[in-house]
Structure formats: structure tokens, C-alpha cells
Amino acid sequence: MAVTCGIMLAGQSVAAQGPAQPHVGIGYVANAPDVMVGGAVYVVLPALGGIGLYVDAKFPGGGPAGSRDFEEGWTPSRVEDEVPDAKFRRRKSSWQSFSVALIRPLNPSLMVYGGLGHFKRTEYWLYEAAPTVDLGRAGVFWVESPDDAESGVSVMVGALMRISSLISTQFGFESRPRGITVGMSLRLPPW
């Protein structure tokens, strides 16, 4: 009798983890500190006590490539060959990523997720040359360094926490770019 009751209670608790009906979340997501612009969508179905799919895309919010002092077609090796007095000042990375994960509700207020993503890193170098050089603004300019570009697979884990029947917050970790995932989403229908 005790074993039967325990199995029934365990079955009820698993079924009570997820939503009674499918729901969707749509919101903002970022991977701080490197990628601060992004969007996420997730769907959670009541099947198997609640199981879902999470998808996000994160993009650089601006950066050297969009600035007036970026020189399209120039690379560090070209600068070194053609602008002998140019001085290297610093580097800046620009990241974008796309991720997919499985979601599992643990209770009505907390869902965990884990998955994989694809990232791309573009590297930019800042140079300073004589103000008479016709590059950038007054001789200060960015160039893309294709030799330092990188892409690959990243791992992500995290949690979605319900703060109201309509709003969820998100907190997690991503391996590339290494950072903290944060976000907020609207849950439809309210759960």
C-alpha cells in the first residue's frame, strides 16, 4: 500500500511540474558582458510532465564595423605594409551566437535548460596614424583582423524563473563567449 501511494504521489508530482497547457515565452536575452542584444523564444508542452525547447540569438550591439572610423577591406597586415607610421592601440572582439536547448520544469516557478550553440567572434584592431592619413577620423581607424576570427560550439545551462503568471526571468552560463546569460520573457498564455 505504501509503495503504491508513493508511486502515485511521485506520478502526480511529475505531472504537476509543467503547465496544464502548452505555453510560449518571448523575450530579451543577453550574454554579459560581451553580447548585450538578443532575443529568445521557448515553448513548453505538458507532455511528460512538461518538456520544452528554447532558442535564442544574440548579436553585437554596434561595434567598430558600424562606426565611421572603420575601414572596410583593410586588415592589420595591409596597415603594416601601407601605413608605416601607424601605431596599434587596442583590440576589440564582436560576438554573435545562436543557441538551442531543452527545457524541463522542476516546479511551477522554476524551469532549467541545457543545450548547445554556435558562436562567431570577429576581431577588430584600432590604429592611430598621422592626421594627414586618409583613414578613419584624423588618422584613427579600426580594421578587421580575419586571422583572429573564431567560430565554434558553445555550451549553455541555466534557469527560467517565474516572477508572475506573465513574466519570467532568466539566469545562466555560456561557455563561448564566456559569460552570464540574463533575460526576461513574456509568457503566453499566463501560467
Side-chain angles (χ1 to χ4, degrees):
M1 176 85 173
V3 173
T4 306
C5 289
I7 292 171
M8 288 176 62
L9 288 174
Q12 289 173 353
S13 66
V14 169
Q17 290 173 3
Q21 61 181 337
H23 79 269
V24 174
I26 301 169
Y28 165 81
V29 66
N31 182 3
D34 294 308
V35 192
M36 299 302 292
V37 177
V41 174
Y42 65 86
V43 176
V44 178
L45 303 172
L48 303 173
I51 191 147
L53 184 66
Y54 169 92
V55 178
D56 76 20
K58 296 179 284 297
F59 303 95
S67 69
R68 294 186 314 162
D69 49 0
F70 176 71
E71 292 297 334
E72 184 75 40
W74 283 77
T75 63
S77 59
R78 183 177 174 194
V79 170
E80 290 167 15
D81 291 344
E82 298 181 29
V83 188
D85 67 334
K87 295 178 181 67
F88 170 79
R89 293 301 181 204
R90 66 183 173 103
R91 298 175 181 225
K92 181 174 179 131
S93 293
S94 179
W95 297 83
Q96 64 182 35
S97 67
F98 303 92
S99 304
V100 177
L102 290 177
I103 296 177
R104 177 71 174 162
L106 297 180
N107 61 48
S109 297
L110 178 65
M111 298 183 289
V112 293
Y113 65 86
L116 298 174
H118 181 269
F119 72 88
K120 179 181 175 189
R121 180 179 64 89
T122 306
E123 187 83 11
Y124 299 95
W125 291 19
L126 179 66
Y127 284 94
E128 184 177 349
T132 56
V133 171
D134 191 25
L135 293 170
R137 287 187 289 176
V140 177
F141 57 97
W142 288 97
V143 299
E144 184 177 335
S145 179
D147 293 339
D148 295 312
E150 177 186 15
S151 65
V153 176
S154 63
V155 175
M156 63 183 301
V157 295
L160 291 154
M161 294 154 279
R162 183 170 78 170
I163 58 173
S164 77
S165 64
L166 198 58
I167 304 290
S168 292
T169 60
Q170 177 179 351
F171 184 78
F173 172 79
E174 285 187 54
S175 63
R176 297 293 285 165
R178 184 174 298 271
I180 303 298
T181 306
V182 293
M184 185 169 282
S185 55
L186 181 65
R187 301 161 61 110
L188 301 169
W191 174 39

